[in-house]
Amino acid sequence: MDARLEAIRNTVLARNPGEAEFHQAVTEVFESLGPVHDRHPELLEAAILERLCEPERQIIFRVPWTDDSGRVQINRGFRVEFNSALGPYKGGLRFHPSVYLGIVKFLGFEQIFKNALTGMPIGGGKGGSDFDPRGRSDAEVMRFCQSFMTELYRHIGEYTDVPAGDIGVGSREIGYLFGQYKRITNRYESGVLTGKGMSWGGSLVRPEATGYGTVIFTQEMLKTRGSSFDGQRVVVSGSGNVAINAIAKAQTLGASVVACSDSSGYIVDEAGIDVALLREVKEVERGRLKDYAVRRPGVSYVEAGSVWDVDATVALPCATQNELDGDAAARLVRNGLVAVGEGANMPSTRDAVSVFQDSGVLFGPGKAANAGGVATSALEMQQNASRDSWSFEHTEQRLTEIMVGIHHRCASTADEYGDPGNYVLGANIGGFVKVADAMLAQGLI
Ligand code: NDP
Ligand code: 2IT
């Protein structure tokens, strides 16, 4: 890392002790930015990096609610409003027991660059709670969401901060959150949340967008080697919103998707995953992958274990951060891996990224490859602002153009900085330059 940047990075780490994931995300971005500061020393003068690493505002709040047995439960809520140089803060809410400030900040920090890469007018933010929705009734989830919004509503708004879903937050949770926002404010402010239901302001393609976009980005990478998804053997981690839609899209492009996982284990389905059955088990019944294996002949279920033990030519990690380490990366590479598209945020450890890059595997980092979700959220905001709704075909076309555009921006930036094919460098510099320009133009704020 450039010595000037390393000094700033060390100060950021010291100012934010114990936030390992935030440290990791900052370090990875800083490792790419030396050459930009050689060309633009004025960025150092204006302390752009120090400002970028300090969120504009961080909100931490108590979320009290009662469970079905009448017991009082207390969770912690977060919203980190990281950077508004390009537009209102935009980013999802994560409900998972592992959530703490370090995870919300890593996600919010990544979101700044991702959102810049989309070319849409959106700043970066993220939020969530350590609430675990697993095993909770609908009524409990609703009471939790209502309590969460009872604090959050004063901080968000169409022109201020626009949350959406992430792990543990899908259309059900967005519905309860929106209902409570409307009730407290007495405003039908569609653009305050994205990922809404289709009959009340949502956008077609938003549910599919992250998974579809990840596959479109990966297909663009494959094209640079004269290849495509057709005939690839694909392994996907996770079996939530991003994973299921990545599986569906990869299959329509001719790939054979043979494995996916949840936090309990993974399935191997050599005949190709049956997406309709997977949706039934995971989305309708909110069940476990084990149930899929029970219902479909010829499928094996491996309890615990790592889905990355299954050979693949294309890997799409779509579950969570740091789920794919250096050893798993080396094993995949030895067994014929050609490309990785990150549907999740920071799923590959720094060791894994090095293994992929050193061995010439096409590697699409999350902040580029999974930007289709937030980009389609911005399309939802556009439709809400004009009180319009677009067709599936039109919206999917827009998503495709945006993903092809992000790929182009990453590839051409990597070329410009003398490291062709390095999408990590391209994404970090491409996103950073846009945000830094806007911050310089807007003065010291
Ligand atoms: P979902 O909640 O729909 O699904 C998450 C999936 O990942 C589940 O299969 C879950 O398994 C698994 N998972 C979650 N946490 C862990 C863990 N700690 N260990 C192992 N498996 C885990 O979330 P999404 O599909 O929306 O999100 C997946 C990833 O994609 C996240 O990294 C998210 O930040 C990222 N992302 C999401 C976007 C979106 O639009 N939703 C946009 C861009 C990125 P289980 O059910 O067992 O918990
Ligand atoms: O990580 C992400 O980009 C998301 N969870 C989606 C954010 C959004 O505002 O749609």
Side-chain angles (χ1 to χ4, degrees), residues 244-300:
I244 292 175
N245 291 293
I247 294 168
K249 186 70 174 178
Q251 287 181 344
T252 63
L253 295 177
S256 170
V257 186
V258 295
C260 67
S261 61
D262 61 20
S263 59
S264 311
Y266 67 89
I267 53 162
V268 182
D269 187 346
E270 290 289 349
I273 286 170
D274 177 342
V275 173
L277 177 60
L278 186 62
R279 285 194 194 279
E280 177 66 25
V281 170
K282 298 302 291 190
E283 294 179 346
V284 180
E285 298 169 15
R286 295 182 183 275
R288 310 297 299 159
L289 266 186
K290 203 184 332 182
D291 307 331
Y292 174 103
V294 168
R295 284 194 227 166
R296 190 162 146 92
V299 175
S300 54

Side-chain angles (χ1 to χ4, degrees), residues 114-158:
K114 181 196 304 193
N115 294 4
L117 283 170
T118 66
M120 314 292 287
I122 41 179
K126 202 84 187 191
S129 175
D130 58 359
F131 172 69
D132 187 357
R134 180 119 59 99
R136 291 295 177 189
S137 69
D138 270 4
E140 288 177 317
V141 170
M142 182 180 75
R143 286 196 296 275
F144 174 81
C145 288
Q146 290 179 338
S147 181
F148 187 86
M149 185 54 85
T150 300
E151 174 59 35
L152 188 67
Y153 88 96
R154 46 184 117 244
H155 308 289
I156 63 176
E158 182 182 2

Side-chain angles (χ1 to χ4, degrees), residues 11 22 28 59 61 79 97 99 131 163 183 220-221 237 239 248 266 269 290-291 302-303 324 361 381 405 416-417:
T11 308
F22 179 52
E28 188 242 302
I59 303 137
F61 51 99
R79 187 72 184 166
V99 167
F131 172 69
R183 181 191 197 191
E220 289 302 301
M221 293 199 299
S237 62
S239 49
Y266 67 89
D269 187 346
K290 203 184 332 182
D291 307 331
V302 181
E303 187 91 26
L324 201 173
V361 166
M381 292 163 72
E416 185 191 334
Y417 281 85

Side-chain angles (χ1 to χ4, degrees), residues 223-247:
K223 278 189 199 164
T224 65
R225 303 244 173 111
S227 180
S228 74
F229 262 97
D230 196 20
Q232 303 287 354
R233 179 182 164 89
V234 178
V235 169
V236 175
S237 62
S239 49
N241 171 270
V242 180
I244 292 175
N245 291 293
I247 294 168

Side-chain angles (χ1 to χ4, degrees), residues 94 166-168 206 210 239-242 263 288 318-320 343-345:
R94 177 178 292 190
D166 193 83
I167 291 175
R206 178 63 189 88
T210 310
S239 49
N241 171 270
V242 180
S263 59
R288 310 297 299 159
C318 297
T320 193
N345 286 305

Side-chain angles (χ1 to χ4, degrees), residues 116-119 217 402-416 423 425-427 429-435 437:
L117 283 170
T118 66
F217 186 93
I402 291 167
M403 295 315 296
V404 171
I406 295 171
H407 176 269
H408 177 75
R409 190 180 184 108
C410 294
S412 60
T413 305
D415 288 347
E416 185 191 334
Y423 291 95
L425 187 87
I429 295 184
F432 170 75
V433 165
K434 254 197 106 176
V435 180
D437 278 356

Side-chain angles (χ1 to χ4, degrees), residues 22-38:
F22 179 52
H23 298 177
Q24 184 182 342
V26 167
T27 301
E28 188 242 302
V29 169
F30 275 37
E31 275 173 343
S32 299
L33 297 183
V36 188
H37 289 82
D38 292 338

Side-chain angles (χ1 to χ4, degrees), residues 90-92 107 111 114-115 126 162-166 194 206 210 345 370 373-374 377:
K90 183 84 195 89
L107 291 164
Q111 201 84 44
K114 181 196 304 193
N115 294 4
K126 202 84 187 191
V162 183
D166 193 83
T194 60
R206 178 63 189 88
T210 310
N345 286 305
N370 73 36
V374 76
S377 279

